[in-house]
Amino acid sequence: MPIQKKITIAIDGFSSCGKSTLAKAMAHDLGYIFIDSGAMYRAITLFCYKNKYVDEQFIDEEKIIKSLKNISIHFEYNSNTSKLEVTLNNENIEKEIRNLTISNLVSKVASIKEVRQKLVNEQQKIGENGGIVMDGRDIGSVVFPNAELKFFVTADPKVRANRRFLELNDPNVSLKDVAKNLKERDFLDSTRAESPLIQTEDAIVIDNSELTQDEQLLIALKYHKECIDYLTQFPKKK
Ligand code: CDP
């Protein structure tokens, strides 16, 4: 049997719509690498927050841009969770970056052109050999515009808020706080000047408001199979 071609899969969509869950499950099933590009933006935001370059009221873009050369972001494998976890200057910060403080600041930091240039560059390097599922906001439009398979995932805002609220499981954070954060990030991410969140014409839309994780995965894998069958029949010219 011929070795199956490994392609690039881009998954974009609004905040907390299950992109990472789908990306992780697809990568696991296909034996691909999974990269959560949002974790990289969150890592830079954590660095900026700790150094007081950003808070709810203020952002010092100049200092952020200058400090980018001192920020190194990598992923390390956690054998307990079988997951890649993000490190910032060699420190594992996977947990810290998920809290509401960072969620409330990340879209501001992610709108800075130089921050995006640095991360897009690194994401393209990680994915240069294919066999990768990456999720984010600009993966199908900017990071991998030639990805063989692109999904745009969406869900009802109430469903999304509820899912993230349960996932956070933080007694100090209310459902209202989470819903407000998602609404603000959706707005900032889709209206920013630098590579805003868009649905590319070639992306397959999956609305998972009423789908279980397994149902969503099955749909995505069916499209993956169709894509591989097509590429086997009509290989792309190099
Ligand atoms: O998991 P969730 O949907 O809440 O967000 P995330 O994927 O962790 O991304 C956090 C934030 O990073 C987003 O709200 C965007 O502001 C930014 N981001 C981005 O600008 N481009 C990406 N490719 C990924 C994330």
Side-chain angles (χ1 to χ4, degrees):
M1 211 171 100
I3 297 170
Q4 199 181 70
K5 183 180 162 53
K6 289 202 166 190
I7 61 167
T8 299
I9 303 175
I11 304 185
D12 290 299
F14 294 107
S15 302
S16 303
C17 62
K19 303 177 301 287
S20 293
T21 307
L22 176 62
K24 215 180 298 170
M26 282 195 90
H28 181 259
D29 223 89
L30 300 169
Y32 282 19
I33 303 168
F34 157 59
I35 295 291
D36 170 3
S37 69
M40 301 169 84
Y41 288 93
R42 285 174 181 269
I44 292 194
T45 305
L46 180 69
F47 178 94
C48 296
Y49 176 66
K50 282 188 168 167
N51 285 286
K52 302 199 179 344
Y53 301 156
V54 67
D55 67 20
E56 292 280 350
Q57 277 80 41
F58 139 104
I59 181 159
D60 188 335
E61 294 202 7
E62 214 173 297
K63 282 214 174 112
I64 294 178
I65 293 166
K66 273 199 183 141
S67 69
L68 288 176
K69 59 180 182 310
N70 303 321
I71 301 180
S72 123
I73 295 170
H74 293 283
F75 287 92
E76 66 181 16
Y77 185 69
N78 178 335
S79 54
N80 292 327
T81 56
S82 311
K83 244 191 75 181
L84 285 179
E85 296 186 339
V86 69
T87 66
L88 168 65
N89 296 339
N90 294 323
E91 190 193 339
N92 188 313
I93 46 147
E94 182 64 33
K95 268 233 167 73
E96 255 180 290
I97 55 168
R98 309 284 165 192
N99 66 37
L100 194 62
T101 307
I102 299 305
S103 296
N104 281 334
L105 302 175
V106 61
S107 292
K108 283 206 272 188
V109 174
S111 68
I112 301 171
K113 186 169 90 195
E114 288 78 358
V115 168
R116 305 204 67 80
Q117 280 169 346
K118 173 183 171 81
L119 292 186
V120 168
N121 221 321
E122 292 180 12
Q123 289 153 4
Q124 289 174 336
K125 266 191 229 146
I126 299 173
E128 66 192 354
N129 297 321
I132 187 164
V133 191
M134 192 177 287
D135 82 299
R137 304 292 186 287
D138 58 345
I139 310 304
S141 56
V142 176
V143 181
F144 300 127
N146 298 325
E148 290 89 344
L149 189 56
K150 298 181 187 177
F151 292 105
F152 188 87
V153 184
T154 165
D156 182 286
K158 279 194 192 132
V159 175
R160 293 197 270 134
N162 208 33
R163 283 182 190 155
R164 181 53 55 94
F165 173 67
L166 295 174
E167 187 182 62
L168 268 178
N169 191 21
D170 180 342
N172 300 314
V173 177
S174 69
L175 176 61
K176 212 168 140 202
D177 294 335
V178 174
K180 182 167 174 274
N181 170 257
L182 297 191
K183 198 168 166 202
E184 284 172 1
R185 275 198 293 139
D186 285 353
F187 177 74
L188 288 175
D189 292 344
S190 38
T191 55
R192 69 182 174 220
E194 281 304 315
S195 46
L197 167 66
I198 52 159
Q199 179 190 319
T200 60
E201 267 181 26
D202 52 356
I204 297 157
V205 179
I206 299 182
D207 182 332
N208 64 23
S209 309
E210 301 197 4
L211 295 178
T212 65
Q213 292 183 10
D214 284 348
E215 285 167 344
Q216 152 169 280
L217 175 62
L218 280 178
I219 293 171
L221 289 175
K222 188 177 91 46
Y223 281 112
H224 172 264
K225 186 177 177 306
E226 275 174 18
C227 175
I228 294 292
D229 289 348
Y230 181 84
L231 289 174
T232 309
Q233 223 178 333
F234 306 104
K236 279 197 301 192
K237 285 204 184 92
K238 286 267 169 197

